[in-house]
Amino acid sequence: MSVDLGKYATTVLSAYAASLVLLALLVAVTFWRGRKIRARMTALDATKSKARSDAAH
Amino acid sequence: MRALLKRDLTLALRAGGGFGLGLAFFLIVTVMVPFAIGPQPELLARIAPGVLWIGALLACLLSLDRLLALDWEDGSLDLLATAPLPLETAMATKALAHWLTTGLPLTVAAPLLGVLLHLPAPGHLWLTLSLALGTPALSMIGTFGAALTVGLKRGGLLLSLLVLPLYVPTLIFGAELARRGAEGLATQTPMLMLAGLTLGTCALLPFASAAALRISLR
Amino acid sequence: MRALLKRDLTLALRAGGGFGLGLAFFLIVTVMVPFAIGPQPELLARIAPGVLWIGALLACLLSLDRLLALDWEDGSLDLLATAPLPLETAMATKALAHWLTTGLPLTVAAPLLGVLLHLPAPGHLWLTLSLALGTPALSMIGTFGAALTVGLKRGGLLLSLLVLPLYVPTLIFGAELARRGAEGLATQTPMLMLAGLTLGTCALLPFASAAALRISLR
Amino acid sequence: MSLWQYANPRKFLATSERVLPALWAGAVLCLLVGLTWGFAFTPDDYRQGSTVKIIYLHVPSALMAINAWLMMLVASLVWLVRRHHVSALAARAAAPVGATMTVIALATGAIWGQPMWGTWWAWDPRLTSFLILFLFYLGYIALWSSIDQPDTAADLTSVLCLVGSVFAILSRYAVNFWNQGLHQGASLSLDKEENVADVFYHPLLICIAGFVLLFLALVLYRTGTEIRARRIRALLLRQGAEV
Amino acid sequence: MMLGLHDLSVARGGRPVLSGLSLALAPGQALILRGPNGVGKTTLLRTIAGLQPPFAGQVDCAPETVAYAAHSDGLKPTLTVAENLRFWAAIFGTRDINPALAAYDLAPLAERPAGMLSAGQKRRLGLARLMVTNRPLWALDEPTVSLDTTAVAQFATVLRDHLGQGGAALIATHIDLGITADTLDLGPYRAAPDRGDAFDDAFEDWA
Amino acid sequence: MMLGLHDLSVARGGRPVLSGLSLALAPGQALILRGPNGVGKTTLLRTIAGLQPPFAGQVDCAPETVAYAAHSDGLKPTLTVAENLRFWAAIFGTRDINPALAAYDLAPLAERPAGMLSAGQKRRLGLARLMVTNRPLWALDEPTVSLDTTAVAQFATVLRDHLGQGGAALIATHIDLGITADTLDLGPYRAAPDRGDAFDDAFEDWA
Ligand code: HEM
Ligand SMILES: Nc1ncnc2c1ncn2[C@@H]1O[C@H](COP(=O)(O)OP(=O)(O)OP(=O)(O)O)[C@@H](O)[C@H]1O
Ligand SMILES: Nc1ncnc2c1ncn2[C@@H]1O[C@H](COP(=O)(O)OP(=O)(O)OP(=O)(O)O)[C@@H](O)[C@H]1O
Ligand SMILES: [Mg+2]
Ligand SMILES: [Mg+2]
């Protein structure tokens, strides 16, 4: 499969590249922050339930 | 309400010549433009109405910063919010005081600065008219922005960022009115739009400002 | 000194994206110009270097307001003045932090905004160069102005009044450099002048700022 | 069973956890199919040449840029009226997505403009109002991130969103009045179908579906993140209280 | 009754700090609030003044009856002492500021800009403001900070007069005011630390 | 000797407020300054800290030995408690902030932004700052404002330690600090009201 973009090849390719890069960035940032926050919360919950079980003993 | 207006005006006068400072900023911006653009008279004349409108807008913007922030810092705003005066009235009064100390002097001084930028003679009248019609809306919108950002450190720049997009319609119609006036074109549409905008903001925005302020103080 | 720089940068970052706000203001001013002037590309292209320089200058100016004022309000400045760090170093560091948070991002972003104003292609390089050379001077001069007005309520506008005239030479040479670059003329003289100006202010103004600050605190 | 049950964060998270994989899969699938179809298997336009392929990114992102703001407006209203926290957080989560969509629309438009209009940028009303929309997004995001009390931030940004919407519409009219433009008219409406030939139309629809799904997935995921961030804040505050 | 709190909880930053507080304040009565730093005195007073909504429970008193005095005094440094006071008098519909000036011995400073006062002088002016509000219920947050003993005594006199005329006062303080009044220790009302607001509650026992 | 004042006059706004003040402070000694509002305590402390020049007379002490704590605390609301303290520690070349946190029981609040503290908690942080300055002479302006009794006791302990290690302190206050120290009443040193500075003197007997 080959696509002939003619004289506008750079234009079309750069438009696709720019958009896909932006979308990828958005998704990457979203996941990165999501993971980080999720891990942080799990850690905090762990310390909390540990403190609670310590208090119970 | 009269008391608040009087106090705000006195404060503006005391603090190193409140009326003067906004004006002076306007003057300086106008003077800087030829330095930056170059001194060709016909170029300057073409951009004069626009430059003067931007100058007026920025002068309004800069003085907003302290419109509520000072009252917040020293606790006056808490006290005002618990005073018998409705907060909506207080906001409208503050906007009025702001207009009297910035918008009005700017309107009066604009023709003078128009001369500096070689604005053609018929343009002066239209410029003044457009500023007179438009600047009250700038003060009202600005008060709303100030109520949103009161109590936030770094309010200054954030305020600009919030307020400037809201200024767009006023600026477009105002500058368009002044430009069409200067070039002798039909001015009715922008004039009506500008007047409508000002009336609308004056009628509605004090409520939004008071609501925002109540939330900010909480 | 490293500690102070780090703190100032952290503060700028924390306070709602410090880097972003100055930039956003620059963007907004640039966008407003066509609204006020009209959308004709060839007119915009002619005034583009000047407008961008004025925009950068105003963005610097607006962020000055809080450069020292916040530290003064919460008493940090009193404490800094009694700290072992020489006040001159502290002022230079503050100016550096200011440049890193405003001047540098402005320089980087300027070519993008040049596109909006139809700046001809060769102009972009020269615009960036002129801003890179000129903005450090703006930060230094601004710090001096901030030191003069710290502790005065209504500092914002007064500060603009004091600082803008001091900005004139930088503006003239900077805009001239960018304009000549865009038009393909000789650029050597304004470039040398601009570089000299920046070096001079960086070498001398911290002392003036520290002296002004000592007096203001008294 | 009412829609409002999702105002409960746990319920919301549990449900979104179940829905999200399907959304992601749908988004990726639609985008892959639509973009590949559009990029490789559609003919060139007789006037615009191969640049017409940009439409598969440009139009969906432009649509989502506006729809994201509409969604924020609705979410803000829900928060102001019924005070469901998830709603406010969803508005917050959508803003950066909408801003990115705006940037994509602007960027693809600018790149497209270079060969078509001979310039990267023109002060055309459609383009200009997108730029203004972008500024609104910036202001909204900046306001969120500079207030540290979550409820106050939600309230203030909602008020800003309301007032901002009114002014955005005003700006649209003002800009239209100020400069008549170069930009294509809307031709996606069903009754004017002939403007866009069928060959372009079908892949375009798939791309639009892909962008919608992607938007939904991103917003759901990000809302979950915001909810967790909010809980972290609450836990930290409680630790401070155990003095 | 001037003020009634019914099972009130107040929150700061979305987190409840005090809960289950009930009390009633009759005309002529003053109540001193005590409690360690950060227990929520300021938050409680702001809620009573109507500056923030209660987190739960109820405040029984019209906000128009409360005069609130915060940590900061709401003075304009460029206005003189008399102008500052006259402004608040006008806002609250009072005419005469002389009694207020006299009560805190401010008459000699009347023409001095407020920015040129010392910390304690500013505070005296802040307290004088209360006298021009004409409001029956005073909610005061550490009113005697920075005051010297003479000024504290002046404050006690003014307060006694106010109570004598059927007013009431709620005062948060750490130090001795030299007046006889009931004291309420807020320590026991501290909210349980692991309760968030309704939204945060929905997360409880997540793990 | 840590500090010597020789026939010192200090001025505020060009007008002398205290005059003829002489005193000496030895290591291990604390001196409490008392005096009615507006007598010039703040002005005196600022002069000693080197923030303003003496009006007349002489201050015998290097400004590099003084740690000054003013009415306001110099805290950044967006930085956390630990970051605030660490900044000042870095400026003064100290490494460890833990003793300071521990002394005022701030460790549990260490990660909280300073803007989210109550008035008293802020003050505690402001006082903790003194411990990272490593400076022998403390000039404190009403240090215990807003503090509860526990915190006042913590402050007294810290102060005793500081004095025990050869430090000295000059403290302006209106209330009881719970430490034993000499007291100096500034009332008698109040400057004669009709003396201006050298320039104003030239106008004397004009009328
Ligand atoms: C740089 C900025 C640009 C922006 C912000 C922009 C914005 C938009 C928007 C919002 C739409 C959706 C309109 C609708 O469906 O109702 C759209 C559609 C479209 N744009 Fe742009 N545009 C830009 C530049 C361009 C350029 C340079 C071209 C090509 C010459 C172009 C060609 C199109 C086409 C063909 C459509 C589809 C119209 C239709 O048939 O629905 N745009 N654009
Ligand atoms: N900025 C100023 N300009 C002129 N005079 C001032 C200024 N600030 C204070 N004063 C005056 O200087 C005198 C001394 O003020 P200072 O603040 O030193 O008093 P203080 O002893 O600290 O009082 P307090 O116990 O109330 O804090 C006061 O009479 C005050 O009115
Ligand atoms: N802006 C804020 N955001 C979140 N929490 C806050 C904020 N301000 C204060 N707090 C917290 O709320 C609690 C109550 O604070 P409040 O100011 O009501 O205490 P207070 O009793 O007045 O204390 P103090 O005697 O120190 O003035 C404190 O634990 C404090 O840390
Ligand atoms: Mg308090
Ligand atoms: Mg004092």
Side-chain angles (χ1 to χ4, degrees):
Chain A
M1 173 192 103
S2 84
V3 184
D4 179 20
L5 294 170
K7 61 176 172 171
Y8 296 127
T10 30
T11 305
V12 177
L13 288 177
S14 58
Y16 271 73
S19 311
L20 294 181
V21 164
L22 278 170
L23 282 182
L25 263 182
L26 177 64
V27 173
V29 168
T30 301
F31 276 125
W32 178 72
R33 178 151 185 271
R35 290 258 161 80
K36 202 180 78 175
I37 297 276
R38 193 188 281 250
R40 182 110 189 270
M41 197 187 78
T42 319
L44 272 176
D45 272 334
T47 53
K48 203 181 131 209
S49 51
K50 181 164 163 289
R52 200 176 281 166
S53 62
D54 283 354
H57 289 302
Chain B
M1 198 200 135
R2 274 243 307 288
L4 184 59
L5 186 63
K6 192 175 137 215
R7 182 190 74 147
D8 273 16
L9 294 180
T10 321
L11 282 176
L13 274 178
R14 292 275 166 84
F19 291 92
L21 284 174
L23 256 178
F25 179 79
F26 189 36
L27 177 70
I28 295 182
V29 170
T30 320
V31 173
M32 292 239 136
V33 169
F35 288 140
I37 308 275
Q40 307 94 316
E42 91 302 342
L43 180 61
L44 289 177
R46 266 180 84 188
I47 63 174
V51 166
L52 289 174
W53 252 93
I54 291 200
L57 192 143
L58 290 177
C60 273
L61 195 75
L62 281 190
S63 47
L64 283 181
D65 190 10
R66 308 245 137 178
L67 180 65
L68 298 177
L70 284 181
D71 278 343
W72 183 77
E73 278 162 22
D74 64 19
S76 305
L77 221 46
D78 278 350
L79 302 178
L80 262 184
T82 59
L85 195 68
L87 208 50
E88 285 77 11
T89 322
M91 287 294 102
T93 314
K94 285 234 153 227
L96 177 61
H98 181 256
W99 184 72
L100 287 176
T101 50
T102 46
L104 187 61
L106 290 182
T107 310
V108 174
L112 222 72
L113 296 179
V115 174
L116 283 185
L117 296 182
H118 307 281
L119 186 70
H124 286 118
L125 185 69
W126 289 107
L127 181 66
T128 313
L129 182 69
S130 69
L131 284 173
L133 276 178
T135 44
L138 296 186
S139 291
M140 278 291 166
I141 298 172
T143 310
F144 171 66
L148 277 181
T149 54
V150 74
L152 306 180
K153 298 284 158 183
R154 183 117 192 167
L157 273 176
L158 179 62
L159 180 60
S160 317
L161 184 56
L162 293 181
V163 165
L164 276 177
L166 302 178
Y167 275 176
V168 168
T170 318
L171 172 64
I172 289 183
F173 289 122
E176 187 76 17
L177 175 57
R179 193 163 66 241
R180 292 198 175 191
E183 292 169 6
L185 305 171
T187 52
Q188 201 177 4
T189 326
M191 193 151 75
L192 283 180
M193 292 301 294
L194 196 60
L197 207 68
T198 300
L199 284 180
T201 49
C202 289
L204 297 178
L205 271 184
F207 296 92
S209 310
L213 189 60
R214 277 206 196 87
I215 298 166
S216 300
L217 286 183
R218 202 149 72 193
Chain C
M1 198 202 134
R2 274 244 304 289
L4 183 60
L5 186 63
K6 194 176 135 211
R7 181 189 76 149
D8 273 17
L9 294 180
T10 321
L11 282 176
L13 274 180
R14 290 274 164 84
F19 293 90
L21 285 174
L23 254 179
F25 179 79
F26 188 35
L27 174 70
I28 297 180
V29 171
T30 320
V31 173
M32 294 252 142
V33 168
F35 292 147
I37 308 275
Q40 304 93 320
E42 88 302 344
L43 179 62
L44 289 176
R46 269 180 80 189
I47 62 173
V51 166
L52 289 173
W53 252 93
I54 290 198
L57 191 143
L58 289 177
C60 274
L61 195 73
L62 281 189
S63 47
L64 282 182
D65 189 10
R66 307 245 139 178
L67 179 66
L68 297 176
L70 283 182
D71 278 343
W72 184 78
E73 278 163 22
D74 64 18
S76 304
L77 220 46
D78 278 351
L79 301 179
L80 263 184
T82 58
L85 195 69
L87 209 51
E88 287 75 11
T89 321
M91 287 295 102
T93 313
K94 286 231 152 228
L96 177 61
H98 180 256
W99 183 73
L100 287 176
T101 50
T102 45
L104 186 60
L106 290 182
T107 309
V108 174
L112 217 73
L113 297 179
V115 174
L116 287 185
L117 295 182
H118 305 282
L119 186 69
H124 287 116
L125 185 70
W126 288 106
L127 180 67
T128 313
L129 183 70
S130 70
L131 284 174
L133 276 179
T135 43
L138 296 185
S139 290
M140 278 292 166
I141 299 173
T143 310
F144 172 64
L148 276 180
T149 55
V150 75
L152 306 179
K153 297 283 159 184
R154 183 118 189 167
L157 272 177
L158 180 61
L159 180 59
S160 316
L161 275 188
L162 286 179
V163 167
L164 275 177
L166 301 179
Y167 275 178
V168 168
T170 319
L171 173 66
I172 291 182
F173 292 122
E176 185 76 16
L177 175 57
R179 193 162 65 241
R180 291 198 176 191
E183 292 169 6
L185 303 174
T187 51
Q188 202 175 6
T189 326
M191 192 152 75
L192 284 181
M193 292 302 293
L194 195 60
L197 208 67
T198 300
L199 285 180
T201 49
C202 289
L204 298 178
L205 271 184
F207 297 92
S209 311
L213 188 60
R214 279 210 192 84
I215 297 167
S216 301
L217 285 184
R218 200 143 79 190
Chain D
M1 287 295 262
S2 92
L3 186 63
W4 301 123
Q5 64 180 315
Y6 297 108
N8 176 315
R10 261 196 299 170
K11 179 85 189 154
F12 177 89
L13 282 184
T15 314
S16 71
E17 216 102 295
R18 256 183 291 122
V19 178
L20 266 175
L23 280 179
W24 286 120
V28 170
L29 191 73
C30 284
L31 283 178
L32 268 181
V33 170
L35 287 180
T36 319
W37 185 354
F39 186 77
F41 301 104
T42 54
D44 289 355
D45 185 76
Y46 70 99
R47 265 184 308 132
Q48 306 192 340
S50 60
T51 60
V52 76
K53 295 184 195 304
I54 297 177
I55 206 172
Y56 305 113
L57 290 164
H58 179 72
V59 171
S61 57
L63 286 178
M64 288 326 292
I66 296 173
N67 290 342
W69 185 271
L70 284 181
M71 184 227 123
M72 281 157 55
L73 177 61
V74 173
S76 300
L77 277 174
V78 170
W79 159 250
L80 284 181
V81 176
R82 301 205 50 154
R83 303 203 78 73
H84 291 320
H85 292 78
V86 173
S87 174
L89 292 180
R92 173 177 197 171
V97 183
T100 313
M101 293 297 171
T102 317
V103 174
I104 294 178
L106 284 170
T108 49
I111 294 171
W112 201 347
Q114 175 57 19
M116 286 304 107
W117 305 336
T119 173
W120 294 98
W121 179 260
W123 291 96
D124 165 277
R126 176 97 52 100
L127 278 59
T128 307
S129 39
F130 256 65
L131 197 57
I132 297 174
L133 182 64
F134 181 58
L135 295 183
F136 275 112
Y137 274 121
L138 281 187
Y140 181 88
I141 294 171
L143 189 60
W144 257 114
S145 59
S146 36
I147 309 175
D148 40 34
Q149 311 277 316
D151 283 4
T152 308
D155 278 329
L156 288 179
T157 49
S158 299
V159 173
L160 177 68
C161 189
L162 285 188
V163 175
S165 302
V166 175
F167 276 85
I169 293 168
L170 278 175
S171 306
R172 183 65 229 250
Y173 281 110
V175 167
N176 244 339
F177 170 79
W178 164 73
N179 186 20
Q180 274 73 33
L182 303 159
H183 195 279
Q184 273 75 359
S187 47
L188 204 66
S189 61
L190 289 171
D191 43 299
K192 280 205 286 174
E193 218 171 292
E194 61 273 19
N195 286 5
V196 173
D198 273 359
V199 269
F200 303 132
Y201 188 60
H202 293 298
L204 182 57
L205 278 188
I206 296 180
C207 283
I208 290 178
F211 267 77
V212 171
L213 289 174
L214 182 68
F215 173 77
L216 288 179
L218 279 168
V219 169
L220 276 190
Y221 186 90
R222 296 178 67 99
T223 309
T225 307
E226 296 298 341
I227 291 176
R228 291 191 183 92
R230 175 77 196 257
R231 174 166 161 79
I232 289 176
R233 197 192 125 90
L235 287 176
L236 284 179
L237 271 179
R238 276 171 222 180
Q239 283 184 355
E242 283 156 16
V243 183
Chain E
M1 204 192 55
M2 292 256 64
L3 168 76
L5 306 183
H6 307 289
D7 198 18
L8 181 74
S9 301
V10 297
R12 191 74 206 247
R15 195 174 56 86
V17 290
L18 290 174
S19 71
L21 191 66
S22 301
L23 63 85
L25 206 62
Q29 198 185 347
L31 182 65
I32 295 185
L33 300 174
R34 292 193 177 269
N37 289 141
V39 77
K41 298 179 294 297
T42 301
T43 314
L44 177 62
L45 290 176
R46 286 178 68 87
T47 310
I48 290 170
L51 283 168
Q52 57 175 71
F55 180 73
Q58 214 184 323
V59 177
D60 235 20
C61 101
E64 305 86 56
T65 59
V66 188
Y68 171 62
H71 284 298
S72 42
D73 294 314
L75 304 178
K76 290 295 162 192
T78 47
L79 296 185
T80 65
V81 169
E83 282 169 336
N84 266 300
L85 213 49
R86 223 175 280 130
F87 165 66
W88 288 113
I91 289 283
F92 284 91
T94 317
R95 280 280 153 68
D96 194 6
I97 61 164
N98 289 321
L101 285 177
Y104 289 101
D105 200 14
L106 287 167
L109 299 171
E111 297 310 318
R112 177 101 65 101
M116 287 161 80
L117 299 179
S118 80
Q121 290 164 341
K122 276 187 189 136
R123 195 75 202 175
R124 261 149 63 192
L125 178 52
L127 291 175
R129 187 187 63 85
L130 288 172
M131 297 184 63
V132 302
T133 60
N134 252 337
R135 290 194 163 175
L137 178 58
W138 288 1
L140 312 181
D141 206 350
E142 311 206 37
T144 58
V145 156
S146 303
L147 291 186
D148 61 18
T149 38
T150 336
V152 171
Q154 288 165 349
F155 170 67
T157 315
V158 170
L159 189 62
R160 263 191 298 272
D161 279 3
H162 177 67
L163 297 179
Q165 288 160 17
L170 206 61
I171 306 172
T173 187
H174 296 292
I175 49 183
D176 190 34
L177 296 179
I179 56 160
T180 50
D182 300 338
T183 301
L184 176 71
D185 185 2
L186 290 178
Y189 299 98
R190 210 193 279 265
D194 55 346
R195 266 204 47 216
D197 65 12
F199 178 68
D200 293 332
D201 276 349
F203 290 103
E204 270 315 303
D205 304 311
W206 174 296
Chain F
M1 205 191 56
M2 294 257 60
L3 169 75
L5 306 184
H6 307 290
D7 197 20
L8 181 74
S9 301
V10 297
R12 191 72 206 247
R15 199 174 52 83
V17 291
L18 290 175
S19 69
L21 190 65
S22 300
L23 63 84
L25 206 63
Q29 198 185 347
L31 182 65
I32 295 184
L33 300 175
R34 292 193 177 270
N37 289 140
V39 76
K41 299 180 294 297
T42 301
T43 314
L44 177 61
L45 290 177
R46 287 179 66 87
T47 311
I48 290 170
L51 284 166
Q52 55 176 75
F55 181 71
Q58 213 185 324
V59 178
D60 234 20
C61 102
E64 304 87 55
T65 58
V66 189
Y68 171 61
H71 285 297
S72 42
D73 294 315
L75 304 178
K76 290 294 162 191
T78 46
L79 296 185
T80 65
V81 170
E83 282 169 335
N84 265 300
L85 212 51
R86 222 174 281 131
F87 165 66
W88 288 112
I91 289 285
F92 284 92
T94 317
R95 279 280 152 69
D96 195 6
I97 60 164
N98 289 321
L101 285 177
Y104 289 101
D105 202 12
L106 287 167
L109 299 171
E111 296 310 316
R112 178 100 64 100
M116 287 161 75
L117 300 178
S118 80
Q121 290 164 338
K122 277 188 191 132
R123 195 73 201 176
R124 262 149 63 191
L125 178 52
L127 291 175
R129 187 187 62 86
L130 288 173
M131 298 184 62
V132 302
T133 59
N134 252 337
R135 289 193 162 176
L137 177 58
W138 289 0
L140 312 181
D141 206 349
E142 311 206 39
T144 59
V145 156
S146 303
L147 291 186
D148 60 18
T149 38
T150 335
V152 172
Q154 287 166 350
F155 170 67
T157 315
V158 170
L159 189 63
R160 261 191 298 272
D161 279 3
H162 178 67
L163 297 179
Q165 288 160 16
L170 206 61
I171 307 173
T173 187
H174 296 292
I175 49 185
D176 189 33
L177 295 180
I179 55 160
T180 50
D182 299 340
T183 302
L184 177 69
D185 187 1
L186 290 178
Y189 300 97
R190 212 190 279 267
D194 56 345
R195 269 202 47 215
D197 66 12
F199 178 71
D200 292 335
D201 276 349
F203 288 97
E204 272 311 303
D205 304 314
W206 175 295

